[in-house]
Amino acid sequence: MTIVQETIKSSTGYREVDKKRWLVRYLILGGVGAILAVKLYLLLFVVDFTVGLYSFFTSFLLFNILFFSYTKFKDPYIYAKSMYVSNGITYGISKPLVSIIVPVKNEEGNIRNCVGSCINSTYPNKEIIVVNDGSTDGTGAILDEMKKVEPSLNIIHLSKSVGKKQAIEAASEIAKGEIFVSMDSDCDMACDAVEKAVKIFNSDRKIGAITGHGRVRGAITGNALLKMQDVYIDASCRILKGMETSFGSVTCCAGSLSFFRREAVKPYIHEWAHDRFLGLENFKFATDRRLTAYILGTKPSCEFKDSRKSDDSASNIMHNIPVLMHCKNGLDTTTSSSYSDNEDTKTDNKIRYAWKVVYSPSVKVNVGVPETLPTLIRQQIRWRKSFIRSLFATGGIYWRRPLYSALLYYLQISLKFLRPLIVLKAAIFLPLSGDFITTLLYFSGVFFTGMIYGVDFRLRHPGSSLWLYRPLFTLITTFVYSWLIFYAAITIKKTAWR
C-alpha cells in the first residue's frame, strides 16, 4: 500500500462523534423518517391539506439535510491534513501569500480583538489590510496606534463611508495574495484558521472558496438571546453548510470568515461592489450571498495540464506535485493536484471543472451578534433584503450545480416564502374554523424540529446545556422571522444600514 493510500485510509477513519453518538444520529434519521411517514398519513386523512402538505415537505427537507450532513459530509481539512502527514513524516506544503482583508466602520470596541487575531495567526506568509470606512468614532485612532506596534499592518483610511463592498474592493486593488481572506470587523479568527484553510486549498485545486465555522463570542456567559443565536449559527454552519458541502455547492460564504482563491473572486469584485438591483445604484445588501454566487456560477479561466506520470511511486502520487496551470490572462503558475482529479481528466489530458465552494468546521471564528431583540430584528431585515437579491443571483445559476442539491435549494426557498402564510392559517384561521387538531400538530412539528437541532448540538458538544435554547429559537424563527421577508421586500429600496 502506498503512502498516499495509507493516509487516505486513515483519514476516512476520522469520526466527528463517537460510536454511541453516531447511533443517536441514526436514530434521529430514523425518527425523522418515521415522522415523514406519519405526516403523509395525516396529510391524506386527518389535517388540513395545505398545512399538511407544507409540513410534509418541511420534514422531507429536514430528512435530506440531516442525511447528507451526517452520511456524506467530510471535513475537507481532515482530508487535507492527511495528505501532508503520514507515519510521522511531514511533507512539503505550499505557502502562498494570503491577503487578509478587514473592512471596518465604527467598531472601536471590537477592532483591537479583530485585527489582533489576524496578527496572531500562525500562518507566516500573510499581509493584513484594514480599510477604515469613514469611521466617526475612535476606530481610526486605534488602528493608527496598532500600526505603530505592528508596522506591517496596511491601514487604508477612507475620508467618507462607501460601504463594506467598496471598502473590500479598495483593499483588493492593492492585495497581492493568491488567497483572499474576508472577515467582518466584529469577529476574531482562531490562530490556526488561515493555516488550515491554505491546506484545504492545496489539497484540491477545484476549491474556489471556503467558509468557516462560527460560534457566538461570549455566548456562555451572555444573555439568552446570545445563547439562542450561538446554537442557531452552529447548526446553520455544521448542518446546512455541511449538507451543501457534500455537493461542493455552499450557497453563502459568510462574512464572518471566508477564504477565496484570487483567480476565483478577483474578476468579479468590482461588479459585486457596484451591484445594481431594482434600479438602485450600488445596492448595499447581498454582500455574502451575491459574491458566493459569482463563484458558484462560473468556471475557472484556466486549463490544468497534468504532468504526472502514471506509475505508482509515492513521489508521483503525492498531492503536492506541481501542475502547470495555463490561464487566459497569460500567466503560468503551479498548483497542487488531488487524487480525485482522475474523475475530471479528459483524453487530451486537460482538466476542466466548476469551482467547489466548501465549509470546514475546523476553520473557526468567533462572531459578534446583536445583543438585543430590536438590533437582531434590524439585522434580520438586512439579511432578508440580501436573500431577496440572491434569488436573482444564486437562484438563477444554482440549477447548474448537482441536480439533487439544486432541488433541495429551490424547495427550501419555496418553503421560506410560503411559511408566513402557513403560520397565519395554522395559528389563526384554522382555530377560528374549529380545526384545532391541525394547529396542534403543526405547533408540535415546529417544536420537534427545534428539538432535533438541539439534540444534534448536544451530540457535537457533550455537556453543553445550550442545546435547550434551540427549540425556543426555532419558535422565534417560525413565528417572528417569517414575517420579516415581506417587510424586507416592501422596504428594499430603503438602503439605510441601521
Side-chain angles (χ1 to χ4, degrees):
M1 182 180 292
T2 65
I3 293 176
V4 171
Q5 290 170 332
E6 288 176 356
T7 57
I8 291 173
K9 182 178 179 181
S10 66
S11 72
T12 58
Y14 166 78
R15 286 183 177 271
E16 182 182 30
V17 296
D18 59 30
K19 292 183 178 180
K20 182 171 69 174
R21 291 181 174 85
W22 258 112
L23 176 61
V24 177
R25 279 186 165 180
Y26 287 127
L27 290 175
I28 288 175
L29 282 175
V32 176
I35 291 295
L36 193 59
V38 171
K39 284 189 173 182
L40 180 60
Y41 171 81
L42 294 174
L43 163 65
L44 295 175
F45 302 106
V46 179
V47 300
D48 175 83
F49 182 80
T50 304
V51 176
L53 185 63
Y54 175 88
S55 183
F56 173 82
F57 277 117
T58 56
S59 292
F60 174 79
L61 181 63
L62 175 63
F63 179 84
N64 277 273
I65 290 174
L66 293 174
F67 175 81
F68 286 103
S69 176
Y70 287 167
T71 66
K72 300 299 181 182
F73 170 76
K74 293 180 175 60
D75 182 355
Y77 174 69
I78 302 302
Y79 169 67
K81 181 181 178 181
S82 72
M83 286 174 22
Y84 300 108
V85 180
S86 177
N87 298 328
I89 302 174
T90 302
Y91 293 90
I93 301 174
S94 172
K95 293 188 180 296
L97 177 64
V98 172
S99 298
I100 304 175
I101 298 173
V102 180
V104 55
K105 181 181 179 182
N106 295 341
E107 288 283 0
E108 60 183 3
N110 295 313
I111 195 60
R112 287 185 186 276
N113 187 49
C114 174
V115 177
S117 72
C118 300
I119 296 172
N120 295 329
S121 169
T122 56
Y123 188 76
N125 192 21
K126 62 180 182 288
E127 61 175 2
I128 304 170
I129 306 172
V130 184
V131 184
N132 176 21
D133 184 29
S135 295
T136 56
D137 62 358
T139 299
I142 293 172
L143 289 173
D144 289 337
E145 180 182 336
M146 295 186 73
K147 184 173 176 60
K148 292 179 182 178
V149 178
E150 188 68 36
S152 63
L153 276 180
N154 194 334
I155 310 296
I156 301 176
H157 291 288
L158 302 180
S159 58
K160 65 176 183 178
S161 177
V162 295
K164 173 183 174 179
K165 293 190 288 187
Q166 291 189 36
I168 291 177
E169 180 188 23
S172 71
E173 293 301 318
I174 64 171
K176 302 180 180 66
E178 297 176 43
I179 296 171
F180 286 178
V181 182
S182 175
M183 183 171 69
D184 288 341
S185 54
D186 59 352
C187 302
D188 57 277
M189 69 173 75
C191 62
D192 59 357
V194 176
E195 189 169 351
K196 288 180 175 179
V198 170
K199 288 182 180 180
I200 295 172
F201 277 123
N202 283 340
S203 72
D204 189 345
R205 66 190 180 204
K206 294 183 250 183
I207 294 176
I210 304 166
T211 191
H213 185 87
R215 293 294 303 274
V216 171
R217 184 175 56 245
I220 295 178
T221 58
N223 60 30
L225 195 60
L226 292 183
K227 289 178 169 61
M228 286 189 287
Q229 291 179 85
D230 182 44
V231 182
Y232 180 78
I233 290 173
D234 176 85
S236 295
C237 290
R238 175 57 188 88
I239 303 302
L240 182 57
K241 294 185 188 299
M243 180 275 290
E244 293 176 334
T245 296
S246 68
F247 297 101
S249 303
V250 170
T251 55
C252 180
C253 289
S256 54
L257 182 64
S258 290
F259 304 77
F260 305 90
R261 287 195 192 272
R262 182 189 187 97
E263 64 184 284
V265 74
K266 185 62 170 68
Y268 310 107
I269 288 181
H270 177 77
E271 182 179 351
W272 167 72
H274 299 272
D275 186 29
R276 298 176 65 91
F277 182 61
L278 296 179
L280 295 173
E281 190 171 352
N282 298 334
F283 187 69
K284 289 186 176 182
F285 308 105
T287 52
D288 307 327
R289 291 181 181 275
R290 183 71 183 101
L291 187 60
T292 308
Y294 282 111
I295 301 172
L296 286 170
T298 57
K299 295 182 179 180
S301 58
C302 305
E303 295 178 350
F304 295 87
K305 292 186 177 180
D306 195 344
S307 59
R308 291 172 293 180
K309 296 180 181 179
S310 59
D311 62 77
D312 288 332
S313 64
S315 61
N316 279 329
I317 63 175
M318 282 305 294
H319 299 270
N320 58 344
I321 294 178
V323 178
L324 190 61
M325 181 171 69
H326 298 282
C327 301
K328 291 181 180 179
N329 58 11
L331 299 177
D332 287 352
T333 60
T334 59
T335 185
S336 300
S337 62
S338 167
Y339 79 98
S340 61
D341 288 343
N342 292 333
E343 300 172 2
D344 301 292
T345 304
K346 308 298 182 181
T347 55
D348 60 357
N349 210 29
K350 293 180 180 179
I351 302 172
R352 297 182 177 88
Y353 53 83
W355 289 120
K356 290 181 184 177
V357 182
V358 302
Y359 146 80
S360 172
S362 296
V363 179
K364 301 182 184 297
V365 59
N366 292 318
V367 183
V369 298
E371 298 185 14
T372 65
L373 187 58
T375 54
L376 176 61
I377 295 298
R378 287 194 291 270
Q379 178 206 64
Q380 293 300 315
I381 291 171
R382 296 196 303 269
W383 285 7
R384 274 147 185 77
K385 291 181 179 181
S386 298
F387 170 75
I388 292 171
R389 175 65 182 96
S390 72
L391 291 178
F392 298 86
T394 308
I397 55 90
Y398 208 74
W399 58 270
R400 304 176 192 169
R401 309 304 292 188
L403 177 60
Y404 204 71
S405 174
L407 291 175
L408 294 178
Y409 170 78
Y410 292 120
L411 176 60
Q412 184 181 16
I413 296 299
S414 301
L415 294 177
K416 184 169 291 190
F417 274 101
L418 290 173
R419 182 187 298 169
L421 303 178
I422 298 298
V423 169
L424 186 65
K425 185 172 185 178
I428 298 178
F429 292 120
L430 289 180
L432 289 176
S433 66
D435 186 356
F436 295 99
I437 294 179
T438 298
T439 300
L440 178 61
L441 291 174
Y442 178 75
F443 274 80
S444 300
V446 171
F447 185 78
F448 173 78
T449 300
M451 285 296 297
I452 289 294
Y453 281 115
V455 171
D456 173 82
F457 179 91
R458 181 62 182 268
L459 291 175
R460 291 182 288 107
H461 305 283
S464 175
S465 62
L466 293 181
W467 72 277
L468 294 168
Y469 289 89
R470 180 56 202 253
L472 177 59
F473 201 64
T474 299
L475 294 175
I476 293 176
T477 58
T478 300
F479 298 105
V480 178
Y481 281 15
S482 297
W483 302 99
L484 299 180
I485 190 71
F486 294 130
Y487 181 80
I490 294 170
T491 62
I492 198 164
K493 290 192 175 184
K494 183 179 178 182
T495 57
W497 194 251
R498 297 184 184 275

